Amino acid sequence: MTSRLGQRALSGLFLCIILVCVLVAPIRAAAAPYAAMVMDARTGEVLHSRNADTPLHPASLTKMMTLYVAFQAIERGEITLDTPVRISRLAASEPPSKLGLREGQTIALRFLLRAAAVKSANDAATAIGEAISGSEAAFATRMNRTARAMGMRDTNFLNAHGLTQSGHLSTARDMTVLGRHVIYDFPQYYNLFSRRSADAGVATVRHTNRRWLDSYEGGDGIKTGYTRAAGFNLVASAQRGQERIIATVFGGSSTSARNARITELMDMGFNRAPSRATIRRPNPPAPMLSSSDGGGQANPGKIVRVSGLVTRSIRPVARPTSAPVSEEILVAAVDTDVINAAIADTVNAALAEALGASTPTAPPTQVIANAVPAVTPVPRPSPPTQVAALTPQTAITDTGPEVVTRISTSGGRHWGVNVGRYNTRHDAERVLLRVALNEMSALDGSLRRVVQRSGGFDANFMGLTREGADLACRRLQARGTTCFMIGSEG
């Protein structure tokens, strides 16, 4: 009896050992390789690396490039934040994490960007790629060309969402480089990556990395990623004072383990980075044209052709004179006293007209009457009958110092436009300068002004009329720049 019990016990023990081996072996086999990198974002200096050039599955870290290309397309005017995007069968069928989009549904691009950045929604990422390049394959081609232009040498994208696919690979180094470009190339959109929640149109979505963002001082992004083949990945960034660190982890065993490791790497970065450093911003890659990718539903890459350009300068015909121009007149033209007197008379006449007073009876020709013979000009053609003819006016009497209140000629320039709120004054000034250079005609005469608010620094253009501000905003929005009017008519 005892021997039978012993045999059963031994059999049970062997069975337990076999079960443990069967269960544990797949877990070990499925464990993703570990890789990490820490970089000083200000200079691009690598502070720590491990297996940083090993090609691994990036998972949803891929969406950083998806969003970067979308920001490029918006900046180029290929698509706007309000462009309606029609959801395809492919996008609607993507597995979770997803926003829950349905085939045939239409949703604004801005909501897709929020869903991809905050919730890491796969259906939103696919829809973004199709909206910009027409198909997932064409968009992946554009992603890869952009990656090459950034110097991401060991990355190959096959889709916009990052779900495991043979050949869809990247490295810790390349993803760190990409994260740095996201921060410096598009500061106006970077706040997307730190939002704890966001309105995605059809639902409110919550950030996939909110626990780490809430627990780490200065943490403000960027992107998580997970698949069974990839493990728990994260590209994170934090800023403390003048220091900014980017850290990347591939192959975490769990969310908590990944967060603990990224915290260690961040602390290492802040300890090793100098407190002061000259910022060397990465050179933005040249935008990749969508037209070569096959186009998309937003008609990207559209070429606007301008007709009716002026081919030659039209000079006004000189006013005929009753006498030939003499040598004495040419000499008088360079006489400084004569020129100054003429300018003074002109200014006095303008002031008198603005104040509703009379103009001097002595025309500028009297100033030069003693120097040159009088030249009688041929009268200009009569103005249209509906315009009243000007009547002679009397001279302004010089009675000594007089206080003159300058009449405003702003034409109701109490309006302005806001082009975003940014984390630093430098970022706001940079955006203002870039927008001003791109829209010189629409913003002509405006003043660039950065206003500090509780949530950051507002980038404003002030000193516009209501019509001018409205026109400027419409032109900026057509180019994909966020804009709204500010000010009042009072």
Side-chain angles (χ1 to χ4, degrees), residues 191-453:
N191 68 86
L192 273 175
F193 299 98
S194 61
R195 296 185 186 180
R196 303 319 194 260
S197 63
D199 175 15
V202 297
T204 297
V205 294
R206 303 182 70 189
H207 202 293
T208 57
N209 197 34
R210 58 187 177 275
R211 290 182 182 177
W212 184 82
L213 291 173
D214 290 338
S215 65
Y216 195 80
E217 179 187 353
D220 57 11
I222 305 175
K223 190 72 192 73
T224 62
Y226 168 76
T227 63
R228 183 173 297 178
F232 292 82
N233 299 350
L234 175 61
V235 176
S237 178
Q239 183 171 15
R240 294 178 179 176
Q242 299 300 315
E243 300 175 37
R244 177 177 284 280
I245 300 297
I246 302 175
T248 298
V249 167
F250 273 66
S253 58
S254 66
T255 299
S256 59
R258 176 198 67 195
N259 290 352
R261 182 56 180 157
I262 208 74
T263 297
E264 293 175 3
L265 294 172
M266 277 289 179
D267 290 343
M268 178 194 303
F270 282 113
N271 289 333
R272 294 183 179 181
S275 57
R276 294 183 179 275
T278 301
I279 296 178
R280 296 196 294 268
R281 301 172 185 273
N283 295 323
M288 304 299 162
L289 292 175
S290 292
S291 55
S292 60
D293 296 338
Q297 59 180 237
N299 296 322
K302 182 189 297 181
I303 299 175
V304 178
R305 302 188 182 276
V306 180
S307 60
L309 294 178
V310 177
T311 57
R312 64 186 182 87
S313 176
I314 304 175
R315 296 187 61 183
V317 178
R319 184 187 299 177
T321 62
S322 58
V325 178
S326 66
E327 197 171 18
E328 293 177 329
I329 294 178
L330 295 178
V331 173
V334 296
D335 188 322
T336 304
D337 293 336
V338 172
I339 294 174
N340 291 338
I343 293 174
D345 286 340
T346 303
V347 172
N348 286 336
L351 285 173
E353 184 177 356
L355 295 171
S358 57
T359 57
T361 55
T365 53
Q366 289 187 352
V367 178
I368 62 172
N370 297 329
V372 298
V375 179
T376 305
V378 176
R380 295 188 181 187
S382 300
T385 56
Q386 65 269 25
V387 178
L390 297 178
T391 59
Q393 297 176 331
T394 58
I396 298 177
T397 303
D398 185 5
T399 58
E402 180 180 0
V403 178
V404 178
T405 303
R406 185 173 182 267
I407 295 178
S408 172
T409 57
S410 65
R413 291 179 176 270
H414 310 296
W415 292 80
V417 296
N418 176 282
V419 293
R421 179 171 294 177
Y422 304 94
N423 294 330
T424 66
R425 179 178 295 275
H426 174 82
D427 290 339
E429 291 173 347
R430 176 190 175 196
V431 172
L432 283 174
L433 180 58
R434 182 171 60 187
V435 172
L437 291 174
N438 289 338
E439 288 295 342
M440 287 188 290
S441 59
L443 297 170
D444 183 36
S446 64
L447 300 175
R448 299 194 301 273
R449 182 174 299 170
V450 177
V451 180
Q452 185 172 4
R453 305 289 186 191

Side-chain angles (χ1 to χ4, degrees), residues 152-173:
M152 298 169 61
R153 297 172 298 178
D154 300 308
T155 294
N156 184 56
F157 295 116
L158 296 176
N159 57 58
H161 42 67
L163 292 172
T164 303
Q165 190 171 346
S166 178
H168 185 97
L169 301 169
S170 187
T171 66
R173 183 185 304 276

